[in-house]
């Protein structure tokens, strides 16, 4: 059998084969493909569609393909079939009974996404844990929080870490492994043979079977969901990266990069560049591109399978490893970023970031907030004119503006007290940070348990090797 066996024996032009083959990419799905074939084969044997002895020989042969070189074929499915046929002759052809490459690839891709979800959930678990641990140690490190990249209000480094964790824990919901089995719908319309889809479903640990063959073979929603979930993670990683990159500049100076992650310049000897974080930010572009590529591939396709769908391979197969590596690098990188509390405090001193606290303290004495806001605004300007920091505004100066300013109101400007006072849920106080850290730990454990409940390829392979025929 040569290339073209899938075309009813017709021999494809070599250039056409080269152009149309997905093997260079989908050889990465070999394990998934063998697993799908094993489950299908076991079902064919148990339903009596294929004799048990034949099924046994095919199963043994399926396990040998991992050590062999894949022949030039249209795709990984045909490459495996060719290897089986070389070893077993015509009998190998029984494996493809009641199956099409259309439902086969739909299965392989789901198995791939499920495995990648598990790997990503593991990394998410580690990252959330790292952020929670780190937040516990950075409760007393203060620095400005920003809006519009202008110093806004005092926060702790722990608050930043919890904010980053809050983004990634949301992504967990987007990384749910696909749970519906596509195999058994054939090319589009099902099969006249008495197959048992639920048996295959159980063998492969899927929760349900797809409802309609025409839909199933053209459906890549699970791939789009995964690509979007991954893109969301990378978007979040890119935003964290920008905070770190900015904070590592001498202009901000709130963090320093450990030698293990700071990169130099080939010309400027003084440089300690945040290349790692720039690359994390840069890789996000790829994820966005891959998502777009998948969306455009699916857009406007007629019902059923169309070969255009093969173009899902590059963006989808790139997504999982990209996601996992970025999560891992972010964790390793953040673990080697040190906060400089003195720089943070200095920025709070001359940033008038206490203005809101003073206005709120004044409002608490009964002054309407809008009035308190205006009076504090006037105080900020007066302090700037007289060259004193707002956090050290003399009472006398404040009372020239309004006698309702008191020493206690001005005392609200202290950054430590300011952070401690934001006691409401989601705020910066010690109690609130405690809750946020607790929340991240819970979410980390949910990620871990979701991962633990996700069936893995190697375990499946072992199960299917032993399963009765
Ligand atoms: N290589 C194809 C793909 O990955 C497999 C399905 C081919 N089906 C077909 N009818 N030509 O999408």
């Amino acid at each position: 059998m040569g290339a073209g066996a899938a075309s009813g024996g017709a021999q494809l032009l070599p250039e056409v084969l080269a152009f149309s083959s997905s093997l260079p990419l989908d050889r990465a799905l070999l394990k998934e493909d063998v697993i799908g074939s094993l489950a299908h084969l076991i079902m064919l044997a148990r339903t009596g569609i294929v004799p048990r002895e034949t099924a046994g020989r095919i199963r043994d042969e399926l396990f040998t393909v991992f050590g062999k070189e894949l022949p030039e074929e249209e795709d990984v499915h045909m490459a495996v079939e060719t290897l089986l046929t070389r070893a077993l002759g015509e009998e190998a052809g029984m494996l493809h009974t009641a199956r099409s490459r259309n439902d086969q690839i739909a299965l392989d891709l789901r198995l791939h996404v499920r495995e990648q979800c598990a790997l990503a959930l593991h990394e998410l678990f580690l990252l959330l844990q790292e952020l929670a641990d780190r937040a516990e140690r950075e409760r007393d490190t203060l620095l400005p929080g920003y809006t519009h990249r202008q110093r806004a209000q005092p926060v702790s480094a722990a608050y930043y870490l919890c904010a980053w964790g809050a983004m990634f824990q949301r992504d967990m919901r987007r990384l749910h492994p696909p749970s519906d089995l596509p195999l058994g719908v054939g090319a589009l319309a099902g099969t006249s043979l008495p197959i048992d889809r639920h048996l295959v479903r159980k063998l492969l640990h899927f929760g349900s079977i797809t409802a309609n063959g025409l839909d199933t073979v053209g459906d890549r929603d699970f791939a789009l969901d995964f690509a979007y979930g991954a893109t969301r993670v990378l978007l979040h990683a890119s935003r964290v990266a920008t905070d770190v990159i900015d904070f590592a500049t001498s202009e901000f100076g709130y963090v320093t990069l450990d030698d293990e992650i700071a990169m130099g310049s080939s010309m400027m000897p003084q440089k300690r560049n945040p290349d790692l974080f720039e690359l994390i930010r840069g890789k996000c572009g790829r994820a966005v591109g891959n998502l777009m590529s998948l969306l455009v591939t699916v857009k406007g396709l007629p019902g059923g399978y169309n070969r255009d769908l093969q173009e899902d391979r590059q963006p989808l197969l790139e997504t999982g490893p990209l996601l996992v590596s970025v999560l891992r690098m972010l964790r390793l990188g953040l673990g080697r970023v040190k906060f400089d509390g003195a720089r943070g405090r200095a920025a709070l001193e001359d940033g008038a970031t206490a203005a809101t606290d003073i206005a709120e303290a004044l409002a608490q004495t009964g002054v309407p907030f809008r009035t308190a806001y205006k009076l504090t605004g006037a105080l900020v300007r007066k302090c700037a004119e007289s060259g004193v920091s707002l956090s050290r505004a003399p009472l006398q100066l404040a009372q020239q503006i309004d006698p309702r300013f008191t020493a206690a109101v001005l005392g609200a400007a202290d950054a430590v007290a300011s952070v401690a006072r934001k006691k409401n849920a989601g705020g910066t106080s010690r109690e609130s940070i405690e809750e946020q850290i607790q929340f991240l730990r819970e979410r980390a454990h949910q990620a871990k348990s979701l991962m633990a409940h996700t069936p893995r390829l190697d375990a499946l392979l072992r199960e299917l090797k032993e399963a009765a025929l």
Side-chain angles (χ1 to χ4, degrees):
M1 179 163 78
S7 312
Q11 201 63 44
L12 279 180
L13 264 180
E15 296 96 308
V16 172
L17 175 65
F19 178 77
S20 60
S21 175
S22 53
L23 191 58
L25 291 172
D26 64 21
R27 61 191 325 133
L29 296 170
L30 182 62
K31 199 182 274 181
E32 289 86 339
D33 202 66
V34 167
I35 287 172
S37 286
L38 287 167
H40 184 64
L41 181 71
I42 292 167
M43 180 278 289
L44 291 176
R46 291 205 203 159
T47 50
I49 298 172
V50 166
R52 192 177 297 144
E53 300 69 41
T54 305
R57 283 191 289 277
I58 296 177
R59 173 157 68 180
D60 291 345
E61 211 46 50
L62 271 169
F63 278 96
T64 70
V65 303
F66 296 116
K68 292 183 180 158
E69 198 185 322
L70 295 179
E72 291 294 314
E73 285 287 354
E74 267 181 53
D75 49 37
V76 67
H77 325 299
M78 293 318 301
V80 170
E81 187 170 321
T82 298
L83 288 178
L84 295 180
T85 307
R86 275 184 200 159
L88 299 171
E90 186 189 42
E91 186 176 53
M94 286 205 169
L95 174 60
H96 210 58
T97 313
R99 186 175 70 172
S100 154
R101 287 181 296 159
N102 299 352
D103 56 347
Q104 200 175 349
I105 189 63
L107 172 64
D108 291 4
L109 293 174
R110 275 174 173 80
L111 290 172
H112 169 80
V113 168
R114 192 165 75 174
E115 180 79 0
Q116 295 300 315
C117 281
L119 296 172
L121 285 165
H122 178 65
E123 285 302 330
L124 211 49
F125 157 68
L126 295 174
L127 176 63
L128 290 173
Q129 250 196 344
E130 162 78 17
L131 290 169
D133 289 348
R134 190 66 189 279
E136 237 156 43
R137 302 198 300 274
E138 304 286 359
R139 287 185 176 111
D140 300 324
T141 313
L142 301 190
L143 73 166
Y146 285 76
T147 63
H148 312 270
R149 227 11 157 200
Q150 306 284 318
R151 290 176 199 164
Q153 290 191 284
V155 302
S156 61
Y159 197 59
Y160 267 100
L161 292 156
C162 288
W164 297 339
M167 299 196 285
F168 294 114
Q169 64 78 26
R170 259 196 318 273
D171 294 328
M172 231 168 83
R173 258 175 273 158
R174 298 276 156 260
L175 294 174
H176 265 278
S179 65
D180 52 343
L181 172 83
L183 203 68
V185 302
L188 76 162
T191 171
S192 52
L193 293 155
I195 61 166
D196 182 350
R197 292 189 69 200
H198 278 291
L199 173 54
V200 180
R201 173 184 73 70
K202 282 182 221 143
L203 288 169
L204 294 174
H205 301 284
F206 280 100
S208 56
I209 59 175
T210 59
N212 174 288
L214 187 63
D215 167 54
T216 300
V217 294
D219 169 30
R220 292 294 180 270
D221 289 355
F222 64 94
L224 293 172
D225 288 347
F226 178 61
Y228 173 66
T231 304
R232 270 259 307 262
V233 171
L234 267 73
L235 278 179
H236 292 153
S238 79
R239 298 191 62 192
V240 173
T242 291
D243 274 341
V244 173
I245 292 163
D246 286 359
F247 292 176
T249 60
S250 36
E251 284 74 10
F252 287 76
Y254 307 146
V255 304
T256 52
L257 307 178
D258 198 283
D259 283 345
E260 287 181 321
I261 55 164
M263 301 196 197
S265 149
S266 60
M267 183 168 173
M268 298 170 284
Q270 86 283 12
K271 294 284 269 183
R272 293 176 58 77
N273 291 330
D275 299 35
L276 176 64
F277 291 96
E278 291 170 309
L279 283 167
I280 287 172
R281 186 169 63 182
K283 303 251 182 217
C284 178
R286 276 186 191 237
V288 173
N290 288 335
L291 173 61
M292 287 308 131
S293 167
L294 282 171
L295 286 165
V296 175
T297 296
V298 174
K299 180 198 169 292
L301 286 184
Y305 176 83
N306 299 274
R307 191 69 178 267
D308 316 43
L309 288 172
Q310 189 175 291
E311 290 303 311
D312 65 20
R313 236 42 51 87
Q314 179 274 324
L316 183 59
L317 295 183
E318 189 176 280
T319 294
L322 186 64
L323 169 61
V324 169
S325 67
V326 165
L327 281 169
R328 196 171 143 70
M329 286 302 124
L330 187 62
R331 174 168 54 85
L332 295 183
L334 287 176
R336 286 159 181 78
V337 165
K338 280 193 204 63
F339 285 94
D340 184 338
R343 286 290 301 257
R345 288 299 290 272
L348 291 171
E349 278 291 304
D350 57 37
T353 51
T356 313
D357 290 284
I358 294 178
E360 284 187 351
L362 200 50
Q364 270 188 327
T365 67
V367 178
F369 179 75
R370 188 51 67 212
T371 308
Y373 167 92
K374 285 183 189 146
L375 294 175
T376 308
L379 180 61
V380 169
R381 284 187 293 280
K382 224 176 177 51
C383 284
E385 281 160 19
S386 358
V388 289
S389 149
L390 179 66
S391 54
R392 296 178 206 283
L395 180 59
Q396 206 193 349
L397 191 77
Q399 288 189 334
Q400 282 168 19
I401 298 168
D402 195 288
R404 286 173 286 183
F405 277 117
T406 63
V409 166
L410 295 186
D414 176 65
V416 174
S418 155
V419 167
R421 259 197 318 273
K422 312 288 181 343
K423 288 192 198 297
N424 36 46
T428 54
S429 72
R430 181 163 271 272
E431 300 85 328
S432 174
I433 290 288
E434 203 48 60
E435 280 173 23
Q436 295 175 43
I437 292 174
Q438 218 25 57
F439 174 61
L440 291 188
R441 293 207 184 287
E442 278 160 31
R443 296 293 284 163
H445 277 94
Q446 283 167 22
K448 192 181 180 185
S449 112
L450 192 54
M451 187 262 298
H453 287 99
T454 302
R456 302 298 298 276
L457 295 180
D458 286 333
L460 267 181
L461 208 52
R462 284 193 296 273
E463 280 175 35
L464 295 170
K465 189 172 194 165
E466 305 304 331
L469 288 170

